[in-house]
Amino acid sequence: MVKLTINGKVTEVDAEGDTPLLWVLREQAGLTGTKYGCGIAQCGSCTVHIDGEAVRSCVYPLAAVQENQKITTIEGLSATGDHPVQQAWAQLDTPQCGYCQPGMIMASAALLGNNPEPTDADIDKQITNICRCGTFQRVREGIHLAAKINTAQSSKGSAK
Amino acid sequence: MTIETIKVSRRQFVFGAAITGAGLSVGMALPLSKTLAAVPGSTRPEVNAWVVVAPDDTVTIRIARSEMGQGTLTGLAQLVAEELECDWDKVTWEYPTPGENLARARVWQSFSTGGSQGIRSSHQYVREGGAAARQMLIEAAADVWGVKSAECVAANSIITHTPSGRTTTFGKVANAAGQGVPPTTVTLKDPATWKVIGQPLPRLDTLEKLTGKQVFGSDVSLPGMVNAAITACPVHGGKLASFDAKAASAMAGVMSVVAVGDDAVAVVADTWWHAKTALDKVVITWDKGENANVSSASIDAFLTEGLSAEQAFVGNEAGDIKAGLARAARTYSADYSYPFQNHATMEPMNATAVWTKDRCEVWCPTQNGEAALAAAAAAAGLPQEQCDVHKVSLGGGFGRRGASDFVTQAVKIAMTMPGTPVKLLWTREEDMLHGYYHPITKARLTAGLDAEGNVDALHVRISGQSILATLIPQGLRDGMDPVVFQALAAEGDHALSYTVPNLLVDHAMRNTHLTPGFWRGVNVNQNAIYLECFVDELAHETGQDPLAFRQKMMRNHPLALAVLNKVAEKAEWDKPAPAGRHRGLSVCKAFGSYVAACAEVSVSADGKLTMHRIFAATDPGYAVNPQQIEAQVFGSFVYGLSAMLYGECTVQDGAVEQRNFDTYPSMKIAEMPHVDTTVMPSGGFWGGVGEPTIAVAAPAVLNAIFAATGTRVRHLPLKNQALRSA
């Protein structure tokens, strides 16, 4: 058994050390919000945060995760689904089929965590997730809107 | 496209013969229908098949078509809600099952979701369903009050008796309404009075997509469920010869290694990761058959021969093409080609099945619930009445999930362990190898121009695959596949947007071993590139402005002309493009809608393409939800431009060479042009939305590339072409 800190809870999982974190999350922790798309870190559907940084979990072996590292999945991004990225996505009706969106949202949230007001060029560089429905136009708009929501919330004294 | 043919015949989308099964008699012990919320219960009273109103006034609208991102779910709900006169804020939805549809004499009609048909082929009966429910609710209220129903009106889920001012809510009379007699006729609202249709309402299914709560097919979890991974013969048409499962069977979590049909091996394990890793260790011998000799080069030669073949099916003809070309002041000809492409839905194919000798149930993302049910029953060796399919969210469809091959496989695997639910999930590699590929074709276009540079004659020869011949042969007309001529047809949903006095569009059918399928946009993808780039060539060859050149041939096509003029106006075609940028145009009628695009690109000295922006216009007749239409326009552009930039499946030794997104790339956000969409519904007809605009993205960009570089790209994808000579 291995102990992981997932979405703020210490969770025991039973998997071989070379099991990708993606499958540990989906099949051991029962968190199916994180998706399988390619298995070779090309599409980003499996993006989660480890200590706030975006990680493609389909190629991240369980053995590489330390118990004290904080894993955040789409289910744990916010308690009530109101992270600024989620708010922006809802306002713009960004998702289409929705399958890539947990990864897209996690990648966008990580970008904003490191860079509260990303430019279009920053977005081009940092958001490399594939979306076959082609939601990119509203993803870009959504990241800019989330940055504004974040600023507005911060100025009101809310937690970031 | 012949809609009826496709709708009906897709039900034939069933493979293989029934399997005799493992013979064990195990009762179905699972609470099968309680695992997912979206299973309509007969326990809840309905007003009619389309509408359920709860005592708290929540309105549940039943949706027969599949939502796969295209927004049809919300659009269809808007159609029902408009006529029902309910409070939109109280609307939710659910999928009926294909089994219920069967049991109720197809009360929901077709479940098939393809060909941009969701709304345009069901708007009438769906609205009638809403109107009938409203009338039944009003009758019930009038009954309670002892007044004439003609004195009552419904609005916003409230029924009012106008003379007395008494009111009640839908929820209070819904039970009684459901006992009432359905009206024999209903009158639909005048479009001028629509309040819900035409509004840019938010989708009904967005919030669960933001939190990871949305259950896709691959997320299905049932009590006692096991997981399966599969590999089929990499050469289409090849068979399984033998396999050695010794090493795999000893691996962690592995429960069984089984042959599936005559061409695949699956590993069943406690987790999918265990199944997948064990499958890699199964030693398999394939009998690849004669298709192992096929390569991209041999297919290319096969199709090239068709470009000048004597015999071809005539899809559209006017005047006398031979005389037209013979008397031309000048003839001009060019060859184009378009490759195989995989749908590459973000979610690989999957299905979950549980089988006993008496019953089979399947949970799967499908674009055609009824075809999935037929496939499940055929595989299970049971009548359809003893089977059902529970539709689960699709992680993309694009046409791929109209097929049910994965359902057949899941049921066959489930039959090896009666009573145990088995979830089959393909790897991305399996998905790339076993697609229903975008058909491969080539085209030779020959124009006869008069002395003033007018197109007097045009011959479009297409050589290549027919989807219908392979998948739905009963849809052929005397051997001809009408779908091949999309966007080049004489009339109808895919009518050619130009008038040419002497015209011939014909098809030398050349089918390969790789199975073709319906791929978002289907044959308009390549046909629009062939025609719109060739028309652009003719304009440049004769020194005419590409807009004016098109306009001359479009006098009899006012709606197509209107969308073309709109993008020209938005792009300020009459003024020079911004410095360093170049523009290209494209126009088309597809899936019943008129669409046009003007792309603005630049190409650097070393040949790097930047797509700055694209102006798009679409006239779908009626626009049910403009903000969703806008999303479909820019979304379809990503799909179409990914195909233009990168989309290509090549064949070596009979097998597709691309196995994942590293060798089959898809466009990223950095490459995305800004899309400025004008939705301009002219009313009076119902055109499609999900697919039409895909037709114009690539040709507009390719024409802009020519304007920028003088390089005419005639062979797709672009990744294989140098835009500037080194």
Side-chain angles (χ1 to χ4, degrees), chain A residues 2 4 13-21 24 60-66:
Chain A
V2 180
L4 295 176
V13 297
D14 181 15
E16 295 81 5
D18 60 357
T19 307
L21 178 59
V24 174
Y60 204 95
L62 174 62
V65 190
Q66 307 301 314

Side-chain angles (χ1 to χ4, degrees), chain B residues 481-495:
Chain B
D481 178 351
V483 180
V484 163
F485 302 103
Q486 285 177 325
L488 303 170
E491 56 188 12
D493 287 350
H494 291 97

Side-chain angles (χ1 to χ4, degrees), chain A residues 39-78:
Chain A
I40 57 168
Q42 285 284 313
C43 77
S45 295
C46 65
T47 305
V48 299
H49 296 174
I50 296 182
D51 291 336
E53 296 298 323
V55 164
R56 294 199 169 172
S57 65
C58 72
V59 293
Y60 204 95
L62 174 62
V65 190
Q66 307 301 314
E67 184 189 332
N68 61 357
Q69 287 188 301
K70 289 184 186 131
I71 301 167
T72 309
T73 71
I74 186 71
E75 291 91 345
L77 181 62
S78 62

